[in-house]
Amino acid sequence: VSQGNQWINVVAAGAANDGQTLVTAVIQNSIDKAATQGGGVVYFPAGQYLTGAIKLKSNITIHLDAGATLKFSDNPDHYLPFVEMRWEGVVMNSFCPLIYANNVENITIEGRGVLDGNGKKWWDTTLANIDQINKKGDIAELNRYQKMREEANPNYQVSDYYKNTIKRRFFRPPFFQAYNSNNIRISGVKFMNSPFWTINPEFCDNITIDGVTVINPLSPNTDGINPESCSNVHISNCHISV
């Protein structure tokens, strides 16, 4: 693989690939550096990379080599501060998606590697909330993140249909959400263990999703591919089990 100016190898940039060391800052710095050069490829050689939320910029390709796993932290603090995102037609402030792209163009996620959302802790929290609502009709006491979300959305309104869902007051981050962005390509990679919806472009144009695998075990609302309010969407050759 070429290691010229347009390729940034995250290991060479200082990222440990032991799956234990949090390397969010190195990954984000690599994306930002490539963006300042007009774009480029952020390259992950084989290994495991533990990270929090990643924010893509225009003209950036994330390339995961065979044997590379991008493993996302299950600590909610690593998805703060809240960002503007959308779910089922409702725009809100909530946890940053694991991979987030807002108002960008020409972004790619490609390769033979794996993106692991490490979702079990998120699922367990949601299932515990649902269980409490089913038994008591509501949540007895909001946790820190639920309180933050209420404060971040003071004028939040939904139809009657969603009021039971909103009662849970805990929105997990989708795995990949591109928001108001154009020219998006996802190719070859495998997504697994998403905390919430997996691939979720919103208000986007010209999306190609090809040869992608999405595997989520028994878990609440871990949909595979959900394009919403998008145009020119092409999905092909994918295997989805969620």
Side-chain angles (χ1 to χ4, degrees), residues 5-234:
N5 287 338
Q6 298 308 307
W7 282 77
I8 297 177
N9 180 326
V10 295
V11 173
N17 60 356
D18 57 10
Q20 305 293 320
T21 308
L22 194 69
V23 295
T24 315
V26 178
I27 295 171
Q28 192 62 56
N29 288 342
S30 298
I31 291 168
D32 296 347
K33 180 181 176 183
T36 64
Q37 298 172 353
V41 179
V42 177
Y43 168 64
F44 293 80
Q48 287 209 356
Y49 304 87
L50 179 66
T51 183
I54 296 169
K55 296 178 180 177
L56 297 183
K57 304 282 182 72
S58 290
N59 309 312
I60 293 296
T61 291
I62 299 292
H63 185 98
L64 296 169
D65 218 348
T69 297
L70 202 50
K71 186 173 182 179
F72 286 83
S73 164
D74 61 6
N75 181 345
D77 288 345
H78 295 156
Y79 303 92
L80 297 175
F82 285 172
V83 299
E84 183 172 289
M85 52 85 67
R86 186 177 189 238
W87 174 74
E88 297 242 3
V90 179
V91 172
M92 69 179 88
N93 295 304
S94 191
F95 288 114
C96 185
L98 279 53
I99 301 174
Y100 183 56
N102 188 342
N103 282 287
V104 302
E105 61 180 7
N106 309 327
I107 57 173
T108 298
I109 301 172
E110 66 176 15
R112 291 289 186 176
V114 174
L115 301 107
D116 184 350
N118 197 22
K120 187 175 187 306
K121 193 171 171 182
W122 297 98
W123 308 332
D124 288 349
T125 301
T126 291
L127 292 171
N129 283 346
I130 293 169
D131 186 57
Q132 194 172 69
I133 289 166
N134 288 342
K135 287 177 179 173
K136 300 182 179 178
D138 206 343
I139 298 168
E141 187 175 347
L142 301 185
N143 67 31
R144 171 181 160 227
Y145 303 106
Q146 291 165 323
K147 289 174 182 173
M148 286 173 62
R149 192 176 156 277
E150 289 211 330
E151 290 166 4
N153 297 282
N155 302 313
Y156 194 78
Q157 291 185 345
V158 296
S159 67
D160 289 343
Y161 179 83
Y162 287 111
K163 280 187 176 160
N164 253 352
T165 303
I166 297 309
K167 263 183 157 182
R168 301 173 198 169
R169 296 190 183 94
F170 186 74
F171 268 79
R172 295 159 281 153
F175 206 135
F176 170 83
Q177 186 170 106
Y179 190 86
N180 196 31
S181 296
N182 301 317
N183 303 334
I184 297 158
R185 185 171 67 86
I186 304 177
S187 175
V189 293
K190 177 181 180 179
F191 290 83
M192 58 187 289
N193 300 318
S194 179
F196 192 47
W197 290 7
T198 308
I199 299 172
N200 177 212
E202 299 275 355
F203 305 122
C204 294
D205 179 61
N206 192 20
I207 302 161
T208 300
I209 302 169
D210 183 67
V212 169
T213 300
V214 182
I215 303 288
N216 297 321
L218 187 63
S219 50
N221 302 100
T222 52
D223 304 24
I225 304 174
N226 300 60
E228 293 196 301
S229 301
C230 292
S231 53
N232 300 308
V233 179
H234 310 268

